[in-house]
Amino acid sequence: MPWIDRGLRPVVEDLLGTAKVVLLRGARQVGKSTLAQHVVAERQGISRTLDDPTLLAAARTDPIGFLTHDASVLAIDEVQRAPELILPLKLLIDQRPDPGRYLLTGSSDLLRVPGVSDSLAGRTATAMLRPLTQGELAGRFDDFIDRAMSGDTFTHHVSSLSRANYVQRALDGGFPGLSGASNRTRRTILDDYSTAVLYRSLNELSSLTDPGRLPRLLRLLAARSSQEINRSDLARDLGSAAGTIDHLLDLLMTMHLLEIIPSWSTNRTARTVRRPKSVLIDTALICNLLGIDAAALDLTVDPKAAGPILESFVINELLRQAAWSESRPVPAHYRTHDGAEIDLILETPSGKVMAIEIKTSAHVTARDIGAMTAFAEKHQSRFIHGFVLYTGTQRVPFGPRITALPIDALWCGRPS
């Protein structure tokens, strides 16, 4: 597969200039190894993967020797497979605290593994790689978030895409290697992904007495993607205790298969009081888990079926961009006690907010912007702009600070 430049590459390169250890994390098969190898090759460094049984044995037997090097940078792929490396790594970087000597990749979040976070605290900078964005697939740099945060309202944007085009993009998803694959090939790859990958990660992270519960929970979450998490409902449908659900959700987050979006509040310490939303990391995975194809999402079959899929698709595109955005936005969702909702709020560290509403319709009405209008009035000093992303083709302003935009405005950025 040809090299696809990633929006996160400049972030990784910058971090190597300042951090003692850079941890590139993300789910399996999203392209971490390829990105790390490209960055290391540019620096004429060394790459080692712990998927190689010989190298894994060497890392476990002689971790100091495995970590010692005189190259510009040593990249270690799938580092979670040898936790024996962590304490020796701490020792070596404390002895020689030069920045950028180690680039680690992991498909499990090391910083959530007991004992590891303490050892690497203050020594590690992390970057999160997710599946490919639509812009990356097209060889373009996605900068919708930064442009919007700086006041750009995409005045001249016009789209040629239809609702069916967006549905197909959601079905294709962003895993490298799936673009252009036949339906049969895509199903085979994703079936393997959602079974073998889960069990392999479980062997590294946990010893569940009933490991089959995790794939079942993944399917339940796929059916509820972009919805609020109701632990009681999940426990009932899974036939497990509520406490078990928390552990399983934590495992899926550690594997980077599940994104949690907190509820937004003006009081940052109160965000966890309301239910968070969850979204699986890619819509191709969601559709495959649910047995959904283009026919099932046809407007004439079920007008509402595509709603959660396209909402998850857009949210994932924005989460992927946020990882390299200069604005450093924190995502949240908004819901009032009287039921007013906004799909996504992006808040900068300075407290400025942008609102995103997602519609599968090709038309936007005044009713569709009601919650956003009220939100803008309530938070005037903090509100930058609100966008309704929809499947129509025209940019339509709804007042000075709310705009309806075709969804593909998300990836209409400059060539990379």
Side-chain angles (χ1 to χ4, degrees):
M1 182 178 176
W3 158 251
I4 297 176
D5 198 8
R6 304 302 299 264
L8 199 66
R9 176 184 53 78
V11 176
V12 175
E13 292 173 340
D14 287 348
L15 291 176
L16 283 170
T18 57
K20 299 173 185 177
V21 179
V22 176
L23 173 59
L24 177 60
R25 56 194 179 95
R28 293 187 188 274
Q29 300 178 23
V30 297
K32 300 184 303 297
S33 303
T34 304
L35 175 56
Q37 289 167 8
H38 181 85
V39 170
V40 169
E42 289 287 313
R43 294 170 176 253
Q44 298 182 322
I46 304 169
S47 294
R48 295 172 180 161
T49 176
L50 298 186
D51 281 336
D52 183 316
T54 303
L55 292 177
L56 178 59
R60 289 172 171 170
T61 303
D62 180 16
I64 290 288
F66 187 86
L67 292 166
T68 301
H69 70 95
D70 57 5
S72 61
V73 57
L74 169 62
I76 304 174
D77 191 33
E78 298 296 353
V79 69
Q80 79 281 347
R81 303 198 71 195
E84 297 90 344
L85 291 173
I86 301 304
L87 285 177
L89 177 62
K90 174 181 179 294
L91 174 66
L92 289 174
I93 61 178
D94 286 349
Q95 289 175 347
R96 184 180 166 185
D98 304 357
R101 296 190 65 237
Y102 295 96
L103 172 59
L104 313 179
T105 80
S107 51
S108 300
D109 189 349
L110 282 180
L111 301 183
R112 297 172 68 90
V113 176
V116 173
S117 58
D118 293 338
S119 299
L120 295 180
R123 300 171 177 85
T124 306
T126 66
M128 178 71 171
L129 187 68
R130 295 173 171 89
L132 292 157
T133 65
Q134 295 298 304
E136 288 173 322
L137 286 165
R140 304 183 70 85
F141 181 76
D142 306 85
D143 58 355
F144 172 85
I145 292 176
D146 286 339
R147 290 174 62 183
M149 288 291 188
S150 66
D152 191 340
T153 59
F154 306 85
T155 305
H156 302 293
H157 183 71
V158 178
S159 175
S160 61
L161 298 186
S162 67
R163 181 180 183 278
N165 296 141
Y166 292 120
V167 165
Q168 187 58 56
R169 286 171 181 256
L171 287 166
D172 289 342
F175 281 109
L178 286 187
S179 179
S182 67
N183 290 337
R184 178 179 296 176
T185 299
R186 185 166 58 243
R187 285 195 300 269
T188 299
I189 292 172
L190 290 169
D191 283 345
D192 290 344
Y193 188 91
S194 56
T195 53
V197 169
L198 269 183
Y199 286 112
R200 179 178 175 182
S201 297
L202 273 177
N203 288 336
E204 297 169 356
L205 295 172
S206 181
S207 55
L208 290 177
T209 55
D210 180 12
R213 284 182 296 184
L214 202 59
R216 296 199 299 273
L217 177 60
L218 197 64
R219 285 191 291 273
L220 289 174
L221 291 167
R224 295 165 167 83
S225 193
S226 74
Q227 298 179 23
E228 291 184 2
I229 295 175
N230 187 319
R231 287 172 171 80
S232 298
D233 285 353
L234 287 172
R236 181 196 65 229
D237 293 347
L238 194 62
S240 298
T244 302
I245 293 296
D246 288 333
H247 177 57
L248 296 176
L249 290 173
D250 191 67
L251 281 173
L252 291 174
M253 287 187 284
T254 300
M255 296 175 193
H256 301 300
L257 294 175
L258 182 69
E259 305 269 10
I260 298 297
I261 302 172
S263 176
W264 190 84
S265 169
T266 52
N267 178 1
R268 298 187 182 195
T269 61
R271 287 187 175 181
T272 57
V273 174
R274 301 184 183 93
R275 288 176 179 165
K277 276 186 177 182
S278 69
V279 60
L280 298 191
I281 62 160
D282 194 74
T283 44
L285 181 62
I286 294 170
C287 292
N288 193 70
L289 286 165
L290 300 178
I292 289 175
D293 58 14
L297 298 178
D298 189 282
L299 187 63
T300 60
V301 175
D302 184 349
K304 296 182 179 180
I309 301 299
L310 287 180
E311 183 176 335
S312 298
F313 173 72
V314 171
I315 288 173
N316 272 313
E317 287 292 311
L318 288 164
L319 292 178
R320 294 166 193 178
Q321 284 192 37
W324 60 76
S325 168
E326 295 283 349
S327 310
R328 296 163 51 214
V330 176
H333 76 97
Y334 178 76
R335 183 177 183 181
T336 64
H337 291 297
D338 57 3
E341 297 183 60
I342 299 175
D343 293 324
L344 202 64
I345 301 292
L346 297 175
E347 181 177 0
T348 69
S350 65
K352 297 294 184 180
V353 292
M354 181 170 72
I356 303 288
E357 185 67 18
I358 304 156
K359 297 294 178 186
T360 59
S361 170
H363 306 282
V364 176
T365 67
R367 182 178 179 180
D368 294 326
I369 65 166
M372 195 176 288
T373 301
F375 182 89
E377 291 174 354
K378 186 175 182 179
H379 305 286
Q380 289 186 34
S381 62
R382 304 173 63 180
F383 188 77
I384 297 173
H385 206 86
F387 293 97
V388 181
L389 299 176
Y390 76 125
T391 59
T393 60
Q394 302 295 317
R395 173 194 180 275
V396 183
F398 282 81
R401 292 200 290 176
I402 297 177
T403 303
L405 275 179
I407 291 173
D408 67 348
L410 291 176
W411 55 86
C412 68
R414 63 183 184 275
S416 59

